[in-house]
Amino acid sequence: MNGKVIGAVAVLLVAVLLLILGGGAQEEQKRTLTGPMTGGCQLDEDAVPEPMRAPLRRAAATCPEATGCILAAQLETESNWNPDAYNVGSQATGLAQFIPTTWAAYGVDGDGDGTADPRDPPDAIATQAIYMCHLVDFVTERTGLTGEIIELALAAYNAGPGNVERFGGIPPFAETTNYVTKIRDLASGKYTLERSALPVEGLHGRAAEVIRFADQQRGVMYAWGGGTLNGPGEGFGIDAGVVGFDCSSLVRYAYYQGSGQTITLPRVTDAQYDATKSQPVPVDRLQPGDLLFWGVLGNIHHVALYVGDGQMIEAPQSGQTILVTPIRTGGDYFGATRVFGGPLDATAVAA
């Protein structure tokens, strides 16, 4: 049994023990939290100063809650993108306005130059994401808090995690409430790339729901081996530490959630093709919700979800985000299949 399997068994055992020993009550309290904002945000890099774009892109893969849009909006709010910003009273320094004690605990060398400096944008942005993700964990693990996870984490960044715990949510400080509001407005406005509408107007039923769930993940990073039935997850290998989906986990997630958790596709592309190949679909007969595959029989390596009007949504490859593109039927395009009405659908309905 390898380390990953042992770890998974350990996590399962801990979960069972928590339920037996009162973990259920803790979970009940946590239900007052909402979030995380993992999808629906594709960073508009044109709104970000050019030297900050690559560091921000890397930082956005730290955890799903701290999206590129949130981090960019937070940097504008903290320093207006000024690496030399300095607050005499608090000694907060740099783009992300770290005070000395917080920097000493969390500061990292984001660009590999051998030093961790809060005035160096790559270092500041990498540390900002790490600290925000720590605060996400903090508020998630505390019982009795009310609010959206990312907003509580932002409030903790501004007012301190102790105050969030003390007040059971966002502290009633004008500075903090204005801080959280400004960041959410900037994140959903200025720093979110306006997305073209998918061609599903007038489409109803399960196909529309499957596409909607996939579309909510636009802008989320590709992560090989990452992604679960319930959302983005950490990748493996070349994408270790990256939180997102790979191609097959994206369509699997979309079908599971969009079908009301009644259709569960296999995890990998080869198996997804095998499970749906009884309903092949020619290109000129494609319908929204159909799956498109690339590769050769026995080695199908990519899958995408057809959304209509000659377009598909896909998790393309490492280093890229989930996006909508025109369908590609050249190269090693293998074919398309239909899920609805097939064996997986029939099994789900029968169950």
Side-chain angles (χ1 to χ4, degrees):
M1 183 179 291
N2 64 32
K4 291 190 180 71
V5 174
I6 293 172
V9 171
V11 169
L12 181 59
L13 289 173
V14 169
V16 171
L17 286 172
L18 282 173
L19 286 173
I20 294 172
L21 300 175
Q26 182 182 39
E27 185 60 33
E28 186 63 33
Q29 286 183 285
K30 284 185 182 179
R31 286 178 191 157
T32 57
L33 296 181
T34 59
M37 192 180 85
T38 59
C41 168
Q42 185 168 355
L43 178 65
D44 185 354
E45 294 195 358
D46 288 340
V48 175
E50 197 280 331
M52 323 299 183
R53 293 174 187 173
L56 194 57
R57 201 179 304 127
R58 292 192 296 269
T62 307
C63 69
E65 293 85 357
T67 65
C69 306
I70 288 288
L71 295 175
Q74 188 177 28
L75 290 171
E76 176 173 327
T77 303
E78 289 285 352
S79 66
N80 200 27
W81 297 103
N82 180 7
D84 298 316
Y86 182 75
N87 185 302
V88 176
S90 65
Q91 297 184 316
T93 302
L95 277 176
Q97 289 290 280
F98 279 105
I99 61 174
T101 52
T102 306
W103 184 263
Y106 295 94
V108 298
D109 176 11
D111 54 6
D113 66 358
T115 61
D117 184 347
R119 292 161 297 187
D120 183 12
D123 297 356
I125 294 172
T127 304
Q128 173 202 11
I130 289 170
Y131 187 50
M132 278 296 295
C133 293
H134 162 73
L135 293 174
V136 165
D137 289 342
F138 175 88
V139 301
T140 304
E141 292 165 0
R142 295 304 184 275
T143 60
L145 298 183
T146 300
E148 185 177 346
I149 292 171
I150 192 62
E151 291 189 350
L152 293 171
L154 289 168
Y157 194 104
N158 177 260
N163 276 320
V164 171
E165 190 167 24
R166 173 188 171 198
F167 288 99
I170 298 175
F173 310 145
E175 177 188 329
T176 302
T177 56
N178 291 338
Y179 177 86
V180 172
T181 299
K182 180 178 180 180
I183 290 172
R184 290 309 302 261
D185 289 347
L186 284 169
S188 61
K190 177 179 180 179
Y191 290 107
T192 292
L193 185 66
E194 186 175 349
R195 305 187 309 176
S196 58
L198 289 178
V200 293
E201 185 175 350
L203 182 63
H204 302 289
R206 292 186 297 169
E209 283 298 294
V210 168
I211 292 169
R212 182 175 69 84
F213 274 95
D215 185 47
Q216 288 174 352
Q217 302 304 319
R218 269 204 275 179
V220 171
M221 291 298 296
Y222 177 98
W224 184 80
T228 72
L229 290 171
N230 296 308
E234 187 173 338
F236 301 99
I238 191 174
D239 291 323
V242 178
V243 177
F245 291 93
D246 61 21
C247 63
S248 56
S249 67
L250 174 65
V251 299
R252 186 172 186 251
Y253 161 81
Y255 258 98
Y256 182 72
Q257 296 295 336
S259 68
Q261 304 180 0
T262 63
I263 295 179
T264 305
L265 291 169
R267 176 59 182 85
V268 299
T269 50
D270 261 330
Q272 288 176 353
Y273 174 75
D274 284 341
T276 58
K277 65 184 179 182
S278 62
Q279 294 198 117
V281 183
V283 172
D284 61 355
R285 300 289 181 88
L286 285 171
Q287 295 180 9
D290 289 344
L291 302 180
L292 298 94
F293 294 95
W294 289 261
V296 296
L297 190 61
N299 186 24
I300 294 175
H301 60 81
H302 189 59
V303 61
L305 179 68
Y306 185 67
V307 299
D309 197 25
Q311 297 184 73
M312 63 186 185
I313 188 165
E314 61 175 336
Q317 61 184 2
S318 298
Q320 295 186 359
T321 60
I322 295 169
L323 75 170
V324 173
T325 61
I327 63 171
R328 302 182 300 272
T329 56
D332 65 347
Y333 174 73
F334 186 75
T337 63
R338 185 158 296 153
V339 177
F340 291 126
L344 292 177
D345 194 14
T347 300
V349 172

